[in-house]
PDB file of all heavy atoms in Angstrom:
ATOM      1  N   GLY A 110      90.345  89.822  84.051  1.00 97.00           N
ATOM      2  CA  GLY A 110      91.678  89.400  83.631  1.00 97.00           C
ATOM      3  C   GLY A 110      92.160  88.123  84.276  1.00 97.00           C
ATOM      4  O   GLY A 110      93.266  87.669  84.011  1.00 97.00           O
ATOM      5  N   ARG A 111      91.332  87.534  85.145  1.00 97.00           N
ATOM      6  CA  ARG A 111      91.623  86.264  85.816  1.00 97.00           C
ATOM      7  C   ARG A 111      92.913  86.302  86.634  1.00 97.00           C
ATOM      8  O   ARG A 111      93.746  85.391  86.583  1.00 97.00           O
ATOM      9  CB  ARG A 111      91.647  85.111  84.819  1.00 97.00           C
ATOM     10  CG  ARG A 111      90.301  84.879  84.167  1.00 97.00           C
ATOM     11  CD  ARG A 111      90.369  83.696  83.216  1.00 97.00           C
ATOM     12  NE  ARG A 111      89.092  83.462  82.606  1.00 97.00           N
ATOM     13  CZ  ARG A 111      88.229  82.524  83.005  1.00 97.00           C
ATOM     14  NH1 ARG A 111      88.504  81.755  84.010  1.00 97.00           N
ATOM     15  NH2 ARG A 111      87.087  82.363  82.374  1.00 97.00           N
ATOM     16  N   ALA A 112      93.048  87.369  87.401  1.00 98.00           N
ATOM     17  CA  ALA A 112      94.188  87.476  88.305  1.00 98.00           C
ATOM     18  C   ALA A 112      94.088  86.401  89.376  1.00 98.00           C
ATOM     19  O   ALA A 112      92.983  86.033  89.796  1.00 98.00           O
ATOM     20  CB  ALA A 112      94.214  88.851  88.953  1.00 98.00           C
ATOM     21  N   ASP A 113      95.231  85.915  89.831  1.00 96.00           N
ATOM     22  CA  ASP A 113      95.228  85.006  90.978  1.00 96.00           C
ATOM     23  C   ASP A 113      94.839  85.772  92.236  1.00 96.00           C
ATOM     24  O   ASP A 113      94.244  85.204  93.148  1.00 96.00           O
ATOM     25  CB  ASP A 113      96.609  84.365  91.164  1.00 96.00           C
ATOM     26  CG  ASP A 113      96.921  83.366  90.063  1.00 96.00           C
ATOM     27  OD1 ASP A 113      96.067  82.495  89.796  1.00 96.00           O
ATOM     28  OD2 ASP A 113      98.007  83.456  89.467  1.00 96.00           O
ATOM     29  N   ALA A 114      95.190  87.063  92.268  1.00 97.00           N
ATOM     30  CA  ALA A 114      94.826  87.900  93.417  1.00 97.00           C
ATOM     31  C   ALA A 114      94.984  89.366  93.064  1.00 97.00           C
ATOM     32  O   ALA A 114      95.788  89.732  92.208  1.00 97.00           O
ATOM     33  CB  ALA A 114      95.712  87.576  94.620  1.00 97.00           C
ATOM     34  N   ILE A 115      94.187  90.191  93.747  1.00 98.00           N
ATOM     35  CA  ILE A 115      94.409  91.633  93.768  1.00 98.00           C
ATOM     36  C   ILE A 115      95.238  91.888  95.015  1.00 98.00           C
ATOM     37  O   ILE A 115      94.908  91.404  96.096  1.00 98.00           O
ATOM     38  CB  ILE A 115      93.087  92.419  93.896  1.00 98.00           C
ATOM     39  CG1 ILE A 115      92.168  92.137  92.725  1.00 98.00           C
ATOM     40  CG2 ILE A 115      93.371  93.916  94.042  1.00 98.00           C
ATOM     41  CD1 ILE A 115      90.774  92.702  92.912  1.00 98.00           C
ATOM     42  N   VAL A 116      96.308  92.660  94.852  1.00 98.00           N
ATOM     43  CA  VAL A 116      97.157  93.005  95.975  1.00 98.00           C
ATOM     44  C   VAL A 116      97.044  94.507  96.181  1.00 98.00           C
ATOM     45  O   VAL A 116      97.270  95.289  95.252  1.00 98.00           O
ATOM     46  CB  VAL A 116      98.619  92.583  95.729  1.00 98.00           C
ATOM     47  CG1 VAL A 116      99.476  92.896  96.942  1.00 98.00           C
ATOM     48  CG2 VAL A 116      98.693  91.094  95.376  1.00 98.00           C
ATOM     49  N   SER A 117      96.679  94.909  97.403  1.00 97.00           N
ATOM     50  CA  SER A 117      96.394  96.321  97.677  1.00 97.00           C
ATOM     51  C   SER A 117      96.590  96.630  99.153  1.00 97.00           C
ATOM     52  O   SER A 117      96.427  95.759 100.007  1.00 97.00           O
ATOM     53  CB  SER A 117      94.937  96.621  97.280  1.00 97.00           C
ATOM     54  OG  SER A 117      94.565  97.927  97.649  1.00 97.00           O
ATOM     55  N   TRP A 118      96.918  97.894  99.421  1.00 97.00           N
ATOM     56  CA  TRP A 118      96.931  98.412 100.791  1.00 97.00           C
ATOM     57  C   TRP A 118      95.657  99.204 101.070  1.00 97.00           C
ATOM     58  O   TRP A 118      95.545  99.840 102.109  1.00 97.00           O
ATOM     59  CB  TRP A 118      98.137  99.331 101.013  1.00 97.00           C
ATOM     60  CG  TRP A 118      99.468  98.656 101.081  1.00 97.00           C
ATOM     61  CD1 TRP A 118     100.510  98.823 100.201  1.00 97.00           C
ATOM     62  CD2 TRP A 118      99.947  97.746 102.070  1.00 97.00           C
ATOM     63  NE1 TRP A 118     101.586  98.064 100.594  1.00 97.00           N
ATOM     64  CE2 TRP A 118     101.267  97.395 101.751  1.00 97.00           C
ATOM     65  CE3 TRP A 118      99.370  97.190 103.218  1.00 97.00           C
ATOM     66  CZ2 TRP A 118     102.040  96.523 102.507  1.00 97.00           C
ATOM     67  CZ3 TRP A 118     100.136  96.323 103.979  1.00 97.00           C
ATOM     68  CH2 TRP A 118     101.448  95.997 103.622  1.00 97.00           C
ATOM     69  N   ASN A 119      94.707  99.212 100.167  1.00 96.00           N
ATOM     70  CA  ASN A 119      93.488  99.998 100.324  1.00 96.00           C
ATOM     71  C   ASN A 119      92.517  99.235 101.234  1.00 96.00           C
ATOM     72  O   ASN A 119      91.695  98.452 100.777  1.00 96.00           O
ATOM     73  CB  ASN A 119      92.849 100.275  98.963  1.00 96.00           C
ATOM     74  CG  ASN A 119      91.626 101.146  99.058  1.00 96.00           C
ATOM     75  OD1 ASN A 119      90.978 101.242 100.089  1.00 96.00           O
ATOM     76  ND2 ASN A 119      91.289 101.787  97.947  1.00 96.00           N
ATOM     77  N   PHE A 120      92.650  99.497 102.538  1.00 95.00           N
ATOM     78  CA  PHE A 120      91.831  98.794 103.525  1.00 95.00           C
ATOM     79  C   PHE A 120      90.443  99.412 103.688  1.00 95.00           C
ATOM     80  O   PHE A 120      89.622  98.894 104.430  1.00 95.00           O
ATOM     81  CB  PHE A 120      92.539  98.750 104.884  1.00 95.00           C
ATOM     82  CG  PHE A 120      93.816  97.960 104.861  1.00 95.00           C
ATOM     83  CD1 PHE A 120      95.017  98.565 105.162  1.00 95.00           C
ATOM     84  CD2 PHE A 120      93.818  96.621 104.522  1.00 95.00           C
ATOM     85  CE1 PHE A 120      96.205  97.845 105.144  1.00 95.00           C
ATOM     86  CE2 PHE A 120      94.991  95.886 104.497  1.00 95.00           C
ATOM     87  CZ  PHE A 120      96.192  96.502 104.811  1.00 95.00           C
ATOM     88  N   LYS A 121      90.187 100.493 103.001  1.00 95.00           N
ATOM     89  CA  LYS A 121      88.880 101.135 103.113  1.00 95.00           C
ATOM     90  C   LYS A 121      87.901 100.638 102.043  1.00 95.00           C
ATOM     91  O   LYS A 121      86.733 100.399 102.346  1.00 95.00           O
ATOM     92  CB  LYS A 121      89.041 102.658 103.009  1.00 95.00           C
ATOM     93  CG  LYS A 121      87.791 103.419 103.340  1.00 95.00           C
ATOM     94  CD  LYS A 121      88.061 104.888 103.494  1.00 95.00           C
ATOM     95  CE  LYS A 121      86.793 105.591 103.958  1.00 95.00           C
ATOM     96  NZ  LYS A 121      86.996 107.019 104.132  1.00 95.00           N
ATOM     97  N   HIS A 122      88.374 100.461 100.810  1.00 96.00           N
ATOM     98  CA  HIS A 122      87.466 100.153  99.704  1.00 96.00           C
ATOM     99  C   HIS A 122      87.741  98.834  98.993  1.00 96.00           C
ATOM    100  O   HIS A 122      86.966  98.429  98.146  1.00 96.00           O
ATOM    101  CB  HIS A 122      87.498 101.280  98.662  1.00 96.00           C
ATOM    102  CG  HIS A 122      87.211 102.606  99.245  1.00 96.00           C
ATOM    103  ND1 HIS A 122      88.104 103.651  99.175  1.00 96.00           N
ATOM    104  CD2 HIS A 122      86.161 103.058  99.962  1.00 96.00           C
ATOM    105  CE1 HIS A 122      87.596 104.696  99.803  1.00 96.00           C
ATOM    106  NE2 HIS A 122      86.429 104.357 100.297  1.00 96.00           N
ATOM    107  N   ILE A 123      88.871  98.180  99.300  1.00 96.00           N
ATOM    108  CA  ILE A 123      89.195  96.945  98.582  1.00 96.00           C
ATOM    109  C   ILE A 123      89.498  95.800  99.550  1.00 96.00           C
ATOM    110  O   ILE A 123      88.800  94.788  99.546  1.00 96.00           O
ATOM    111  CB  ILE A 123      90.363  97.162  97.582  1.00 96.00           C
ATOM    112  CG1 ILE A 123      89.972  98.208  96.522  1.00 96.00           C
ATOM    113  CG2 ILE A 123      90.731  95.845  96.898  1.00 96.00           C
ATOM    114  CD1 ILE A 123      91.059  98.541  95.520  1.00 96.00           C
ATOM    115  N   VAL A 124      90.541  95.919 100.362  1.00 97.00           N
ATOM    116  CA  VAL A 124      90.973  94.825 101.248  1.00 97.00           C
ATOM    117  C   VAL A 124      90.243  94.948 102.579  1.00 97.00           C
ATOM    118  O   VAL A 124      90.801  95.350 103.597  1.00 97.00           O
ATOM    119  CB  VAL A 124      92.508  94.853 101.474  1.00 97.00           C
ATOM    120  CG1 VAL A 124      92.963  93.586 102.212  1.00 97.00           C
ATOM    121  CG2 VAL A 124      93.252  94.999 100.167  1.00 97.00           C
ATOM    122  N   ARG A 125      88.981  94.627 102.555  1.00 97.00           N
ATOM    123  CA  ARG A 125      88.137  94.701 103.746  1.00 97.00           C
ATOM    124  C   ARG A 125      87.057  93.645 103.598  1.00 97.00           C
ATOM    125  O   ARG A 125      86.432  93.541 102.539  1.00 97.00           O
ATOM    126  CB  ARG A 125      87.521  96.104 103.834  1.00 97.00           C
ATOM    127  CG  ARG A 125      87.000  96.443 105.204  1.00 97.00           C
ATOM    128  CD  ARG A 125      86.628  97.886 105.271  1.00 97.00           C
ATOM    129  NE  ARG A 125      85.175  97.965 105.310  1.00 97.00           N
ATOM    130  CZ  ARG A 125      84.511  99.094 105.403  1.00 97.00           C
ATOM    131  NH1 ARG A 125      85.143 100.248 105.421  1.00 97.00           N
ATOM    132  NH2 ARG A 125      83.206  99.081 105.459  1.00 97.00           N
ATOM    133  N   LEU A 126      86.848  92.871 104.633  1.00 97.00           N
ATOM    134  CA  LEU A 126      85.993  91.693 104.533  1.00 97.00           C
ATOM    135  C   LEU A 126      84.625  91.989 103.924  1.00 97.00           C
ATOM    136  O   LEU A 126      84.179  91.272 103.025  1.00 97.00           O
ATOM    137  CB  LEU A 126      85.838  91.012 105.893  1.00 97.00           C
ATOM    138  CG  LEU A 126      85.078  89.690 105.878  1.00 97.00           C
ATOM    139  CD1 LEU A 126      85.726  88.683 104.927  1.00 97.00           C
ATOM    140  CD2 LEU A 126      85.002  89.115 107.279  1.00 97.00           C
ATOM    141  N   ASP A 127      83.945  93.040 104.382  1.00 97.00           N
ATOM    142  CA  ASP A 127      82.612  93.311 103.827  1.00 97.00           C
ATOM    143  C   ASP A 127      82.687  93.678 102.346  1.00 97.00           C
ATOM    144  O   ASP A 127      81.818  93.290 101.564  1.00 97.00           O
ATOM    145  CB  ASP A 127      81.873  94.383 104.634  1.00 97.00           C
ATOM    146  CG  ASP A 127      82.580  95.730 104.666  1.00 97.00           C
ATOM    147  OD1 ASP A 127      83.829  95.781 104.542  1.00 97.00           O
ATOM    148  OD2 ASP A 127      81.888  96.755 104.834  1.00 97.00           O
ATOM    149  N   LYS A 128      83.745  94.397 101.946  1.00 98.00           N
ATOM    150  CA  LYS A 128      83.914  94.753 100.530  1.00 98.00           C
ATOM    151  C   LYS A 128      84.240  93.515  99.705  1.00 98.00           C
ATOM    152  O   LYS A 128      83.682  93.316  98.624  1.00 98.00           O
ATOM    153  CB  LYS A 128      85.011  95.813 100.358  1.00 98.00           C
ATOM    154  CG  LYS A 128      84.811  97.072 101.172  1.00 98.00           C
ATOM    155  CD  LYS A 128      83.516  97.774 100.859  1.00 98.00           C
ATOM    156  CE  LYS A 128      83.397  99.045 101.691  1.00 98.00           C
ATOM    157  NZ  LYS A 128      82.085  99.657 101.591  1.00 98.00           N
ATOM    158  N   ILE A 129      85.148  92.684 100.217  1.00 98.00           N
ATOM    159  CA  ILE A 129      85.526  91.457  99.505  1.00 98.00           C
ATOM    160  C   ILE A 129      84.296  90.571  99.284  1.00 98.00           C
ATOM    161  O   ILE A 129      84.063  90.068  98.179  1.00 98.00           O
ATOM    162  CB  ILE A 129      86.624  90.696 100.278  1.00 98.00           C
ATOM    163  CG1 ILE A 129      87.922  91.511 100.305  1.00 98.00           C
ATOM    164  CG2 ILE A 129      86.857  89.313  99.674  1.00 98.00           C
ATOM    165  CD1 ILE A 129      88.969  91.003 101.284  1.00 98.00           C
ATOM    166  N   LYS A 130      83.495  90.414 100.334  1.00 98.00           N
ATOM    167  CA  LYS A 130      82.273  89.606 100.203  1.00 98.00           C
ATOM    168  C   LYS A 130      81.327  90.230  99.174  1.00 98.00           C
ATOM    169  O   LYS A 130      80.711  89.514  98.386  1.00 98.00           O
ATOM    170  CB  LYS A 130      81.588  89.466 101.561  1.00 98.00           C
ATOM    171  CG  LYS A 130      82.360  88.563 102.515  1.00 98.00           C
ATOM    172  CD  LYS A 130      81.695  88.460 103.861  1.00 98.00           C
ATOM    173  CE  LYS A 130      80.549  87.488 103.747  1.00 98.00           C
ATOM    174  NZ  LYS A 130      80.011  87.068 105.041  1.00 98.00           N
ATOM    175  N   GLY A 131      81.215  91.548  99.180  1.00 98.00           N
ATOM    176  CA  GLY A 131      80.352  92.229  98.220  1.00 98.00           C
ATOM    177  C   GLY A 131      80.824  92.051  96.781  1.00 98.00           C
ATOM    178  O   GLY A 131      80.035  91.725  95.888  1.00 98.00           O
ATOM    179  N   TYR A 132      82.124  92.278  96.557  1.00 98.00           N
ATOM    180  CA  TYR A 132      82.667  92.096  95.200  1.00 98.00           C
ATOM    181  C   TYR A 132      82.439  90.664  94.720  1.00 98.00           C
ATOM    182  O   TYR A 132      82.016  90.443  93.583  1.00 98.00           O
ATOM    183  CB  TYR A 132      84.173  92.406  95.168  1.00 98.00           C
ATOM    184  CG  TYR A 132      84.516  93.871  95.355  1.00 98.00           C
ATOM    185  CD1 TYR A 132      85.409  94.282  96.346  1.00 98.00           C
ATOM    186  CD2 TYR A 132      83.975  94.846  94.531  1.00 98.00           C
ATOM    187  CE1 TYR A 132      85.741  95.612  96.511  1.00 98.00           C
ATOM    188  CE2 TYR A 132      84.306  96.191  94.688  1.00 98.00           C
ATOM    189  CZ  TYR A 132      85.185  96.568  95.679  1.00 98.00           C
ATOM    190  OH  TYR A 132      85.507  97.887  95.840  1.00 98.00           O
TER     191      TYR A 132
END
Side-chain angles (χ1 to χ4, degrees):
R111 296 182 179 260
D113 290 310
I115 299 171
V116 183
S117 174
W118 288 116
N119 183 337
F120 296 119
K121 190 169 185 180
H122 305 121
I123 299 178
V124 189
R125 198 171 108 178
L126 186 57
D127 61 333
K128 305 301 181 189
I129 294 167
K130 289 179 79 167
Y132 290 126

